[in-house]
Amino acid sequence: MAGGDPVVVQGDGVVKACSELTKSPCAGIQAIGKRDMEARGSWDEAWVEFTLYTFAEAKDASTTMQDLAEHKRKDNAEYGELAKPVTVDADADETRAMQDGDYFDVVMRIGAVVAHVHASDAELGNVKYAVKVQIARVKSVSNGVNPDR
């Protein structure tokens, strides 16, 4: 996978950005981080986008996580059928996953962090792997460990 530069939003614009992305009030939001990656050296057009929302408290993260998952479900429905639920066995506190054609959305809460994995033209097994890696990275950081060490 080859990735673009990460984008971080914090400070004055973070509530507005979070609300626009999640359709949630985003109470307690502290920062948003986003990075996209594409399959390198492949003929397919597979890509994955990772977005993290950090909150002061887990209860605020839970509310935003549920709002974001519902927004993605409704957003997908505007272009045809409702996204179908898929099972992603993630080691997160809460998880909602769905598939709409070639697109996957997995929205999770790990403590006070909401992680959204959005993938296109990827196999479910690869999406599940990306989700597990994302959760492991969030847990490493929350334990004070740099996941890139």
Side-chain angles (χ1 to χ4, degrees):
M1 299 292 282
D5 292 330
V7 175
V8 176
V9 179
Q10 53 192 12
D12 294 338
V14 73
V15 173
K16 181 179 179 190
C18 178
S19 294
E20 288 174 0
L21 291 168
T22 66
K23 304 304 182 222
S24 181
C26 296
I29 185 76
Q30 296 177 329
I32 302 169
K34 189 174 202 172
R35 183 164 190 187
D36 62 330
M37 302 188 87
E38 298 177 349
R40 182 171 43 188
S42 174
W43 289 102
D44 63 18
E45 296 179 19
W47 55 266
V48 179
E49 182 179 85
F50 300 94
T51 308
L52 297 176
Y53 305 83
T54 59
F55 292 83
E57 297 185 32
K59 67 178 179 62
D60 294 329
S62 181
T63 299
T64 299
M65 180 256 169
Q66 294 299 330
D67 290 346
L68 174 57
E70 187 60 17
H71 166 62
K72 297 313 294 180
R73 188 184 72 79
K74 287 180 179 176
D75 190 44
N76 289 333
E78 289 181 17
Y79 301 104
E81 297 180 18
L82 286 172
K84 67 178 182 175
V86 293
T87 301
V88 175
D89 184 22
D91 189 22
D93 297 312
E94 298 178 77
T95 304
R96 286 190 53 196
M98 63 202 84
Q99 179 181 8
D100 182 22
D102 293 336
Y103 294 93
F104 291 91
D105 282 291
V106 182
V107 184
M108 304 158 287
R109 181 183 63 81
I110 308 103
V113 175
V114 173
H116 177 207
V117 176
H118 179 69
S120 176
D121 295 319
E123 296 177 10
L124 180 58
N126 292 335
V127 173
K128 289 178 179 180
Y129 178 76
V131 164
K132 288 183 179 191
V133 168
Q134 184 66 80
I135 291 170
R137 293 179 64 83
V138 169
K139 287 183 175 187
S140 290
V141 170
S142 70
N143 290 323
V145 176
N146 179 348
D148 296 326
R149 62 179 157 82

